[in-house]
Every structure is written in structure tokens, then in C-alpha cells.
Amino acid sequence: MAVFLLKIIFLAISTLSNFITRLFFSTIANLLIVLIHAFKVPGESMQGVLEQVGEAIKGCLEYFLELLIEVIKTIISSVFDALINGVTGSAAVTGSAIGGLVEKTRTSFEGLLNDFPEIMEGFSEMISTVVTDLWNNYKDALGYVTENA
């Protein structure tokens, strides 16, 4: 009887031990599965978040590069504007000088118009002298040819 009682105690202890260990390991296994699934969903979520962060960084880099290109365009435009302003300033100075020359020429031309009758008289004398000399030279050459031919 003592052996039977011991066998029942041993059976109870082994069953209880089996139950406790089964419960313990099953619980741990189920917790691990739950944790794996818990991390799996955030992992997939984390992948989505990382993709969104990557897209945000890509967008920021594109914006930065566009901004950099705009800055370079602005610098080049400013250089060309400065160059154009320099050329325009040069042209303005040249135009001013030409304007001064035109003003002096106009003043001289006004003086010339005051002396116009005298100038016309001298011009007509010059034309008549040129035509007379041309005619006389023609006659002399023709006379020389007729005398010596």
C-alpha cells in the first residue's frame, strides 16, 4: 500500500510537473509567437515608415537641388545683368559723347547756316573753276592731238 500510495504521489507529481512545464513552455511559445507577430506588423509598418522617410529625403534633396539650380541661375543672370549694365553704361557714355559731338556739330552747322551765302558763293566758284579747267584741259589735249597727228 505504501508503494501504491507512493506510485500515486509519483504519478501526481509527474502529472503536475508535466502540466506546469507544458503550461510554462506553451505560454512562453505563445508569447514568443505573439511578440514575433507584434514585431512583424510594426516591422512592416516600420518598412512603410522607412519608405516614407526615404521619399521625404528624396523630396528634400530634389527641392534642395532645384533651389541650388535656381541660385546658380540667379548668379548667372546677375553676372549677365552686370555685364549688360556695363555695356549699357559704356553705350550710355558713348551715346553721351556722341550726343556731345552731335551738339557741337549742330552748333557748328548753325554757324555754317549763318555763313551759308558766303559758302554757297565759294562752292559755286569752285564748281565753275573745276568745269572751266576740265573744259580747257580737254581743248588743249584735243588741240595737241590735232596739231601732232
Side-chain angles (χ1 to χ4, degrees), residues 110-125:
E110 286 175 356
L112 188 66
L113 288 178
N114 292 337
D115 298 332
F116 186 71
E118 292 177 19
I119 293 170
M120 281 309 293
E121 185 180 317
F123 182 73
S124 63
E125 278 182 29

Side-chain angles (χ1 to χ4, degrees), residues 12-27:
I13 291 174
S14 67
T15 304
L16 187 62
S17 167
N18 184 21
F19 178 75
I20 291 173
T21 55
R22 184 166 177 96
L23 181 67
F24 177 74
F25 287 116
S26 295
T27 306

Side-chain angles (χ1 to χ4, degrees), residues 132-147:
T132 305
D133 288 342
L134 181 66
W135 181 252
N136 288 336
N137 288 333
Y138 170 74
K139 281 182 11 177
D140 289 342
L142 188 59
Y144 180 75
V145 169
T146 53
E147 283 179 13

Side-chain angles (χ1 to χ4, degrees), residues 10-83:
F10 290 148
L11 181 65
I13 291 174
S14 67
T15 304
L16 187 62
S17 167
N18 184 21
F19 178 75
I20 291 173
T21 55
R22 184 166 177 96
L23 181 67
F24 177 74
F25 287 116
S26 295
T27 306
I28 297 291
N30 286 329
L31 283 174
L32 283 176
I33 296 298
V34 168
L35 285 174
I36 288 171
H37 285 286
F39 285 122
K40 182 179 178 183
V41 172
E44 291 172 355
S45 299
M46 191 62 123
Q47 181 181 3
V49 168
L50 288 176
E51 287 175 356
Q52 289 180 357
V53 168
E55 289 295 320
I57 290 172
K58 182 180 173 184
C60 288
L61 285 176
E62 287 175 355
Y63 177 74
F64 177 73
L65 289 176
E66 288 175 9
L67 185 64
L68 186 64
I69 288 170
E70 286 298 320
V71 167
I72 290 171
K73 284 181 183 177
T74 303
I75 289 171
I76 290 172
S77 177
S78 297
V79 168
F80 281 131
D81 287 344
L83 185 64

